[in-house]
Amino acid sequence: MPRSKKGKRGGNSSSKGRNGVRGESGVSDDDLASEVLSHCSSASESASVIEEGTGEVVDEQTAQEETEDKLKQCIDNLMDKSAKTRLAALESLRLVFSSRVLYEFLLERRFTISDCLERSLKKGGGEEQAAAATVCALLCVQLGGGVEGEEGFKILRPVLSSILIDSCASLSARQSCARALGMCCYVSASDDAEDLLKSIGHLESVFVGAYPLGDGTLPSVKAGIPALHSAALQSWALLCTLCPASRINTILNHHLPRLHACLESSEVNFRIAVGETIALLYELGRDIDQEFEYEDCEALCDSLKNLATDGNKHRAKNDRRKQRSVFREVLHYIENEDFTEEKIQFGIEAIYIDGWMRRRIYDAFKEVLESGVRHHLQFNPLLRDIFGLGPPLILDASVKASRISRTERHLFNSAAFKARTKLRNKVRDKRADVM
């Protein structure tokens, strides 16, 4: 079982995906993994766990052995001379890592995989670098927040950071590295002040390129850069949830006025990322001081109202709808501390997203795990620890038939969150001393 760290923010909540996305893919995890693994091996399709047509379960041991053989072939293919073969192997590992929990299998192969990923990041083309960065994030999620995850992050952080800040690197690779650096640091280095500050600094150095110039105007950027700015900003916001109070105060004073100005950006997705980050920073400020108030709050609310009611015809209809929905929520939170809670159901369990920090944490995992996020919520001890779910459930038919009520689940999650908050505050105080 993965060793996961205690004390991360995000304990009891459940969440909706970013901008209210609730749905997941209808493809089952086992079907997806079996299909993907076929890219790495010519083994018979009888390796799937469920026999087609009969629906009967085949021998689990045999299926497991065949799956592991295919995974070993994928890992071997990461060292192939052909870039096409390496890219196919990375894509296969991405889909399998996101749809299954493979801690025991990966534990003894983590150094081999980390070395292969490092080689792809250093020597591969832009597409290969982007794919390798995504697999880096998934590997950290698989290994959890213990020593094993930390070892992998120590190997991969320098090269992820190097590509992220390299203006000559592929934009897709830089964007993927931004998300991977945020996720890997959140999972594996939350108690390491040095790695945390370095990662925050590298992410900041990217998105500050969107901040106002000396004359107050926003800089013009080439196509593709706003997506990179959004990825870096969202990963930075994720890591802000780990910072101690002293660091949060510095962040609020420096970044809130500049993020406020970025609401005038012409790129809708970047504006939305900025709005959500402003709400998250507000929540962090109120977490430290219940009376926290941004000094130019009235002007900020005016900007949010304009965006929440934006009817400009030159914007796409879907963009306008998406923007209005997000900025109404941001405005309601800043004015009244209102947040629309969302329930995420998986199996007989559920988590509740009741704040902007919880939403950012859930969204970050969903961006990496995609349709596999609910499977990992059920079975991955790392995610279950972060969201306060306890050890994975082992249920028989009689237990499955007797579900506890929504109120009981919510009360349990609230109690777990309070306990985690006390522990987190102790950890943050210790981290503040180090910083």
Side-chain angles (χ1 to χ4, degrees), residues 100-207:
R100 296 189 180 185
V101 177
L102 301 163
Y103 175 77
E104 297 295 341
F105 175 82
L106 295 174
L107 186 61
E108 61 188 35
R109 297 171 178 84
R110 63 188 187 279
F111 291 118
T112 301
I113 298 173
S114 295
D115 288 343
C116 291
L117 294 175
E118 184 182 25
R119 188 180 303 112
S120 288
L121 288 167
K122 286 182 175 179
K123 299 182 179 181
E127 190 177 4
E128 184 177 343
Q129 288 177 322
T134 299
V135 177
C136 287
L138 287 165
L139 181 63
C140 283
V141 173
Q142 289 278 351
L143 293 176
V147 174
E148 297 84 5
E150 290 177 0
E151 291 170 342
F153 183 59
K154 292 289 185 185
I155 295 172
L156 297 169
R157 184 188 64 76
V159 66
L160 289 172
S161 300
S162 177
I163 296 172
L164 171 65
I165 62 178
D166 182 1
S167 60
C168 297
S170 157
L171 282 176
S172 63
R174 295 179 70 193
Q175 186 175 340
S176 187
C177 285
R179 298 201 183 281
L181 183 62
M183 176 56 67
C184 292
C185 186
Y186 181 80
V187 169
S188 306
S190 61
D191 288 342
D192 188 321
E194 182 180 357
D195 280 344
L196 178 61
L197 290 178
K198 283 182 179 178
S199 298
I200 286 176
H202 287 138
L203 292 164
E204 269 186 18
S205 70
V206 173
F207 70 78

Side-chain angles (χ1 to χ4, degrees), residues 393-414:
L393 299 182
I394 301 175
L395 303 177
D396 58 27
S398 61
V399 176
K400 289 180 180 179
S402 58
R403 300 189 177 196
I404 62 174
S405 70
R406 179 188 186 280
T407 302
E408 289 173 321
R409 285 196 301 267
H410 192 48
L411 289 173
F412 172 81
N413 283 341
S414 296

